[in-house]
Amino acid sequence: MRPSTLNAPRRASGFTLLELLVVMVIIGLLAGIVAPRYFSQVGKSKVTNAKGQIKLFADALQAFATDTGHFPTTEQGLASLVARPQNESAWRGPYLTKGVPNDPWGNPYVYKSPGEHGDFDLESFGKDGQPGGTDDNADITNW
């Protein structure tokens, strides 16, 4: 052994508190930049999903009307696309294979027939579940 290494102080290996704080600040800054962009994309994808589901329901409702000669009543609702309503002998469904899902925010779709904007009105109230609104809270409709 060399005498110079015997008397040298041993330096502890690892990170200093200052180094850890710098890394934490960098991670926090990156999260602050990336997270808002990511979450805005999630909101947009839910709106796109709701539009697609409304289009699917509209197509299924059209098939129902082709078979029966009319659209389901408001009381029969979208459930008539999955199960035969009473007194519907011409029903040839189910017109939806997996049932009627809620909108992407967990709220039921609103169906009215006859509608104010056409043969039927179909809408999701968006993220807030209330009529009206803007951005993610805006209503998504078939008209």
Side-chain angles (χ1 to χ4, degrees), residues 7-29:
N7 296 332
R10 296 181 73 190
R11 180 177 164 114
S13 61
F15 298 105
T16 66
L17 181 58
L18 182 60
E19 291 170 329
L20 290 173
L21 287 173
V22 168
V23 169
M24 297 285 284
V25 167
I26 291 171
I27 290 172
L29 288 172

Side-chain angles (χ1 to χ4, degrees), residues 64-88:
F64 179 100
T66 299
D67 289 346
T68 63
H70 61 88
F71 290 98
T73 64
T74 301
E75 293 76 26
Q76 290 172 326
L78 296 175
S80 62
L81 299 174
V82 179
R84 178 190 305 269
Q86 288 183 329
N87 303 323
E88 288 292 348

